[in-house]
């Protein structure tokens, strides 16, 4: 009885979940081709892709060693505990708040902002956009990659060392392949997050306009149908890979 | 040309030892510190102890050579073979050019040549242990540390492997911890006994049997029952070193009233020895059922004598077990 009721509710929830996707595809495809001909839209797409690749690269380069260190059983427990709290807080921080704080830090009146200003204006730049995206995506990447490394038994690493293999060789032959599925998940979670970043870019990097901000501008200037078409573009850039990876795993992440 | 260990500052192990090349066995009860010692040599343990190999310091007060720079290969009791790599891939990964030529020969000795293209999960416990040993041999390092690495291997094959390690050693140095005393006595060049963290200096099997460092070790080596040799000394006797009856050509004949009775529902027999104004009761492994006589012969009595008092002798006979 309980099992059957669960099934009925599950079907209801599935329909509920599918509605936005169906509407988006149905409505968004109406202006899908013409959406990119609107002034600014193609630029926004390019801005999102280029800043996104850069931000993802940054997340990977600084997030991977962090996750490796945190996932190692030799590392200090208290530092791990503090890191976990910090990362979860950063993960759950409203993006708008993050944007406000970044805007304050990068403003010409503050120390960092004035220092950056001597080279180039810090806020409303491509750099600020990349920075905002990294701030939004990094906790997702590190937390997911951390759990991937934490699942690797310590013995695998130790046993490679006592077979005359250096930590670098061990990483390449043992740790990297063992953590690769988890790292892939982490990377595409970060990518989805970067592509969809709106809350903090809208404050700290209104220009150069990325796709989510462009959608916001389109709503105000042209109305909902055109905005939905752009939204479909955004979703198609960000989500197929995570969806495919989840499908491949035959279950939740 | 030796490996010297001083356990200064170690939280558990005490004592020092110096080994030369050959097959060195490490024996002791469970929890005595065999694995701790081998992990220390491998560089996976505490950094406090002093270890010197051929006058090069591996670790000491202010320096520490990481495991991958020591000329060792370590095989733990439960090897964690990398589950997503075939055995052959793992061996190729660690293979040194010098050991390529004799690798196949050793795979045959260990009887795992047909299993090399399998994944670890397709191997039984004993097969995994043998694969781990082959993988360690492939590194071509001169020192092999085996932590009960043959414990799950069937008897015939284990004996064969030990024969090979003794008579046709692939590496000059082998350390081998084990529970199996008989095998350690039979195959090893030296024996290092550990009891509750105390390391006793390595000795040849012969020397160790002749003069165990203390009564506890003597008990581990199979000595059973205590015996007053004269007014000062008591001996622990080894069942294999006692002959019932008077056989002066074999050792010291001790005149006493001997009464051996089998104990019901037990693998031990009770020996009652009356002499020297005392009566002693021993429980010894049962190799005679009933026997009565006026003398026993103790083979080589001097080498098993201790200045134990009577209570100590009794308590060792009754409470120490391995």
């Amino acid at each position: 009885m309980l099992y059957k009721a669960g099934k009925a509710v599950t079907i209801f929830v599935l329909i509920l979940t599918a509605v936005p996707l169906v509407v988006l595809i149905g409505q968004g495809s109406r202006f899908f081709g013409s959406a990119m001909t609107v002034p600014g839209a193609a630029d926004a797409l390019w801005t999102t892709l280029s800043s996104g690749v850069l931000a993802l690269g940054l997340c990977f380069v600084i997030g991977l060693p962090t996750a490796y260190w945190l996932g190692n059983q030799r590392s200090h427990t208290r530092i791990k505990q503090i890191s976990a709290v910090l990362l979860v807080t950063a993960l759950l921080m409203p993006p708008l708040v993050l944007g406000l704080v970044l805007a304050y830090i990068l403003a010409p009146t503050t120390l960092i902002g004035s220092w950056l200003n001597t080279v180039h204006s810090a806020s409303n730049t491509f750099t600020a956009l990349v920075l905002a995206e990294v701030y939004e995506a990094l906790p997702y990447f590190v937390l997911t990659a951390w759990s991937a490394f934490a699942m690797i038994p310590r013995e695998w690493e130790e046993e490679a060392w006592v077979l005359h293999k250096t930590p670098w060789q061990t990483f390449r032959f043992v740790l990297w392949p063992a953590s690769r599925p988890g790292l892939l998940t982490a990377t595409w979670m970060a990518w989805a997050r970067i592509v969809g970043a709106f809350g903090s870019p809208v404050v700290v990097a209104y220009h150069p306009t990325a796709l989510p901000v462009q959608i916001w501008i389109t709503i105000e200037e042209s109305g909902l149908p055109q905005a939905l078409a752009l939204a479909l573009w955004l979703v198609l850039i960000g989500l197929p890979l995570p969806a495919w990876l989840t499908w491949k795993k035959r279950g939740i992440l | 040309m030796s490996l010297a260990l001083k356990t200064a500052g170690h939280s558990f192990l005490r004592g020092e030892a110096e080994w030369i090349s050959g097959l060195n066995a490490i024996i002791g009860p469970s929890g005595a510190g065999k694995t701790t010692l081998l992990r220390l040599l491998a560089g996976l343990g505490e950094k406090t102890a002093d270890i010197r190999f051929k006058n090069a310091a591996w670790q000491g007060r202010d320096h520490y050579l990481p495991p991958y720079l020591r000329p060792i290969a370590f095989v733990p009791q439960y090897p964690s073979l990398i589950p997503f790599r075939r055995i052959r891939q793992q061996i190729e990964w660690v293979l040194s050019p010098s050991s390529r030529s004799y690798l196949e020969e050793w795979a045959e000795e260990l009887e795992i040549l047909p299993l090399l293209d399998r994944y670890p999960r397709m191997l039984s416990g004993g097969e995994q242990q043998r694969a781990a040993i082959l993988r360690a041999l492939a590194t071509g390092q001169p020192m092999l540390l085996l932590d009960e690495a043959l414990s799950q291997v069937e008897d015939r094959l284990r004996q064969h492997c030990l024969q090979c390690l003794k008579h046709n050693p692939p590496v000059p140095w082998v350390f081998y911890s084990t529970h199996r005393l008989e095998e350690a006595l039979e195959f090893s060049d030296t024996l290092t006994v550990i009891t509750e963290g105390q390391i006793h200096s390595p000795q040849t099997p012969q020397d160790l049997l002749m003069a165990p460092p203390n009564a506890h070790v003597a008990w581990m080596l199979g000595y059973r029952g205590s015996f007053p040799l004269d007014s000062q000394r008591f001996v622990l006797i080894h069942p294999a070193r006692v002959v019932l009856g008077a056989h002066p050509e074999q050792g010291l004949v001790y005149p006493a009233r001997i009464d051996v009775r089998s104990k019901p529902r037990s693998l031990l027999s009770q020996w009652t020895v009356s002499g020297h104004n005392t009566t002693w009761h021993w429980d010894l492994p049962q190799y005679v059922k009933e026997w009565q006589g006026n003398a026993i012969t103790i083979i080589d009595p001097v080498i098993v004598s201790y200045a134990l008092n009577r209570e100590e002798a009794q308590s060792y006979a009754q409470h120490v077990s391995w």
Side-chain angles (χ1 to χ4, degrees), chain B residues 14-37:
Chain B
R14 300 180 307 282
E16 46 190 83
E18 189 166 347
W19 295 274
I20 54 165
S21 57
L23 185 54
N24 297 297
I26 294 163
I27 59 167
S30 292
K34 299 190 292 291
T35 300
T36 312
L37 173 63

Side-chain angles (χ1 to χ4, degrees), chain A residues 6 11 18 23 42 48 52 57 76 84 89 123 167 171 176 188 196 219 231-232 241 246:
Chain A
I11 291 172
V23 171
T48 290
H76 200 278
T89 313
S123 54
F171 186 85
W176 170 252
W188 294 116
I219 290 182
L232 185 57
L241 269 160
T246 313

Side-chain angles (χ1 to χ4, degrees), chain A residues 99-198:
Chain A
L100 291 176
V101 175
L102 280 178
Y104 177 77
I105 293 171
L106 297 179
T109 49
T110 63
L111 186 66
I112 303 171
S114 62
W115 178 70
L116 286 172
N117 233 11
T118 57
V119 187
H120 193 272
S121 170
S123 54
N124 280 332
T125 57
F126 188 73
T127 318
L129 177 63
V130 172
L131 197 66
E133 287 171 342
V134 167
Y135 262 101
E136 284 208 22
L138 193 60
Y140 280 84
F141 183 87
V142 172
L143 282 170
T144 316
W146 177 357
S147 70
F149 278 114
M151 279 196 294
I152 300 173
R154 181 182 180 174
E155 291 78 32
W156 293 7
E157 210 179 355
E158 283 189 346
E159 259 184 68
W161 295 347
V162 294
L163 294 170
H164 223 66
K165 287 291 167 188
T166 63
W168 278 110
Q169 291 169 319
T170 307
F171 186 85
R172 276 191 50 203
F173 191 79
V174 184
L175 299 188
W176 170 252
S179 61
R180 204 162 39 200
L183 291 179
L184 220 56
T185 306
T187 306
W188 294 116
M189 277 179 77
W191 174 249
R193 185 77 183 161
I194 286 170
V195 168
F198 173 72

